[in-house]
Amino acid sequence: MAMGMRASKSVDMSEDLSQAIAPYATALHDALLHSHCSSCFRNIPTQPPYAMSCMTCGYVRYCCSDCCISDCEVHSSSGECCFFANHLREASPSYLTEETSNIRAALRLLYSLEMRDLVSFDSVSSPNRIGGLSASGIGQVMEEGGEIAEMIMEGSLLMLSARKLRMQTTLGFSNGLTIEKVALWAVMTDSVEVQISEGRALGIAVYGPRFSWFNHSCCPNASYRFVLASRNEDCTSDKPESCVVPICKGAAPDVWHAWQSEEDDSAHAQCRYGPQVVVRCTKSINKGDEVFITYIDLLQTREARLSDLWSKYKFICSCERCTAVPKPYGDLILSCDARNLNTSDDAVTDPAIKDLDNILQQAISECSFLDDPKACCDVIESMLSENLMSNLQQEEQSPRKYILHPLHHISISSFMGAGHF
């Protein structure tokens, strides 16, 4: 079952493709539980009105009464409060020091899906998806064993223990997987780190099909950013129109049910103040083209990217960049044996480097005025690759290793936004 998102109309670079999408579930990182609001992720005020805390567990805090009222039901009914108050102190020593945001987000996710009628014996036919979210690969992970399988096993037991007070039964599959294991794996594969303006990750968030169905590419044509929810959410008339629609090949009825629930604004009542995500195109996109984002750090070699994607998401990338022959300039330079950003001043002021810099900047400037930016990027790619290969051949005749010049990162960044990756 292949899922994806395509453009419903042609869009120019830097246009927003989606509205601000509210999350299914969120969880602050453990270190920020006492300094940030567990509902909206804002800083807790140090002056009146002071923070409000959960009266039962004392772990979660809120910046105002609105956030407390909107989140307390999810915190309590999901089992997160019980997890904090009772089961966390009974966990193994490793869980007392390790990050628990995945477990807490999985508890909240299950509650959110249950409230949307997206998790039941009738609506879940296999562990490959849960509430429209991808959970593929969990069977292989559990069969292989290892650290991740152990984390899923122990985490799911903690989740089950926290949830059992309000459940009469739990959903299981014929292969021994439980709904808690599948939800925890879905959080591990579908969640994203929430970064606002502080330059660090505040926590994690899981979004529904309107965001989770975007596929990965190492040469993406879109990116995403996070915004804090507005307090007057009821004003929906000025919301921009979404420019993407789903691609669903062989989608099961429960997957369509998840999409229809996602389209219903009232479905986000349980996480109304959580950090929202907006998808924006980084290149011009034609109507009908698939829209891609990236799941990983793009400034890695092809081998490192493939390893990263397989270990985290259990798929092999076959995007334009990963299958290019010969390798594009960026991958050539990233594959160099010696990569050192602390280059000496002599290397920076070398006449050849200055000439290359001037030519590169001129080509990039022309790119913004031409109707065919890809053709301009092809010229830049050819120029850089030829220069690099020439330098590498010269280095083979000398003992000094090739050094990654800061200019290379400038060119890599320009390719990411203008034509290649």
Side-chain angles (χ1 to χ4, degrees):
M1 177 170 56
M3 316 302 294
M5 301 291 278
R6 61 180 175 84
S8 59
K9 63 179 183 180
S10 296
V11 290
D12 294 327
M13 184 188 301
S14 300
E15 285 190 30
D16 285 346
L17 295 169
S18 72
Q19 301 173 347
I21 303 170
Y24 271 3
T26 63
L28 282 170
H29 286 319
D30 292 3
L32 302 179
L33 281 168
H34 293 290
S35 61
H36 287 67
C37 176
S38 286
S39 177
C40 70
F41 279 33
R42 288 181 170 87
N43 281 304
I44 296 292
T46 57
Q47 297 177 349
Y50 293 111
M52 306 177 68
S53 301
C54 173
M55 299 298 292
T56 304
C57 69
Y59 273 88
V60 300
R61 306 179 75 197
Y62 303 107
C63 63
C64 63
S65 58
D66 286 344
C67 281
C68 181
I69 294 171
S70 70
D71 190 71
C72 63
E73 175 66 23
V74 180
H75 171 63
S76 175
S77 298
S78 67
E80 183 186 44
C81 184
C82 184
F83 171 76
F84 276 133
N86 301 315
H87 305 293
L88 186 59
R89 64 177 64 127
E90 298 172 4
S92 67
S94 62
Y95 262 108
L96 297 178
T97 55
E98 290 184 359
E99 180 70 34
T100 66
S101 55
N102 281 342
I103 296 177
R104 293 184 284 110
L107 286 169
R108 286 171 168 261
L109 175 63
L110 275 182
Y111 175 77
S112 176
L113 296 179
E114 288 168 350
M115 294 300 100
R116 293 167 169 81
D117 193 28
L118 294 176
V119 175
S120 67
F121 285 100
D122 296 328
S123 66
V124 179
S125 56
S126 75
N128 291 325
R129 285 197 176 270
I130 176 172
L133 305 175
S134 175
S136 60
I138 183 173
Q140 181 178 358
V141 169
M142 299 307 292
E143 289 178 6
E144 291 176 351
E147 183 179 353
I148 296 180
E150 185 177 344
M151 290 175 58
I152 294 176
M153 179 65 71
E154 184 170 0
S156 65
L157 290 176
L158 290 171
M159 289 174 60
L160 179 59
S161 179
R163 280 163 48 87
K164 70 179 181 181
L165 296 179
R166 65 179 187 84
M167 292 190 313
Q168 295 181 351
T169 184
T170 184
L171 181 59
F173 302 93
S174 58
N175 56 5
L177 294 174
T178 64
I179 196 66
E180 288 79 18
K181 293 178 184 177
V182 176
L184 185 53
W185 175 246
V187 167
M188 295 171 70
T189 56
D190 288 86
S191 66
V192 288
E193 295 268 16
V194 177
Q195 296 184 358
I196 306 295
S197 59
E198 300 180 10
R200 61 171 175 168
L202 301 179
I204 60 175
V206 182
Y207 297 88
R210 284 192 293 170
F211 179 74
S212 68
W213 286 5
F214 284 97
N215 285 322
H216 164 84
S217 173
C218 295
C219 47
N221 52 14
S223 61
Y224 57 89
R225 70 183 189 278
F226 299 98
V227 293
L228 296 180
S230 173
R231 293 304 185 189
N232 25 349
E233 242 185 16
D234 295 334
C235 302
T236 58
S237 58
D238 58 346
K239 285 187 177 180
E241 178 186 358
S242 178
C243 301
V244 289
V245 293
I247 304 172
C248 305
K249 300 178 182 178
D254 59 309
V255 175
W256 279 115
H257 183 196
W259 176 262
Q260 292 167 356
S261 173
E262 177 76 351
E263 289 289 276
D264 182 7
D265 288 338
S266 64
H268 299 292
Q270 291 89 15
C271 207
R272 58 166 25 166
Y273 294 135
Q276 301 174 344
V277 67
V278 178
V279 179
R280 167 171 289 192
C281 61
T282 56
K283 305 173 186 177
S284 297
I285 303 176
N286 296 321
K287 179 180 179 180
D289 288 351
E290 184 167 1
V291 180
F292 296 97
I293 61 175
T294 181
Y295 297 172
I296 59 172
D297 178 11
L298 295 179
L299 291 180
Q300 301 183 85
T301 64
R302 176 180 180 274
E303 293 71 22
R305 297 195 310 272
L306 293 179
S307 175
D308 206 1
L309 289 168
W310 179 255
S311 63
K312 293 180 180 178
Y313 305 103
K314 299 302 177 186
F315 73 85
I316 299 175
C317 184
S318 58
C319 71
E320 178 183 356
R321 178 184 173 190
C322 288
T323 56
V325 178
K327 289 182 178 180
Y329 167 76
D331 283 329
L332 284 173
I333 195 62
L334 289 171
S335 299
C336 287
D337 291 335
R339 284 176 282 157
N340 180 11
L341 292 180
N342 298 319
T343 311
S344 64
D345 293 337
D346 291 341
V348 176
T349 57
D350 185 276
I353 292 294
K354 280 191 172 183
D355 290 342
L356 177 61
D357 185 16
N358 293 334
I359 297 173
L360 176 63
Q361 296 301 331
Q362 180 180 353
I364 293 176
S365 298
E366 291 175 356
C367 179
S368 60
F369 295 101
L370 295 178
D371 293 333
D372 189 1
K374 186 178 186 306
C376 184
C377 285
D378 289 338
V379 172
I380 298 174
E381 167 78 25
S382 176
M383 177 188 66
L384 291 172
S385 298
E386 290 178 3
N387 180 77
L388 172 62
M389 297 309 297
S390 174
N391 285 342
L392 289 178
Q393 291 173 0
Q394 295 176 11
E395 292 301 327
E396 291 177 356
Q397 301 174 3
S398 68
R400 188 174 67 87
K401 289 185 176 181
Y402 189 80
I403 296 177
L404 178 62
H405 190 276
L407 177 59
H408 297 140
H409 278 274
I410 297 175
S411 61
I412 288 173
S413 299
S414 70
F415 283 177
M416 290 174 63
H420 284 261
F421 64 88

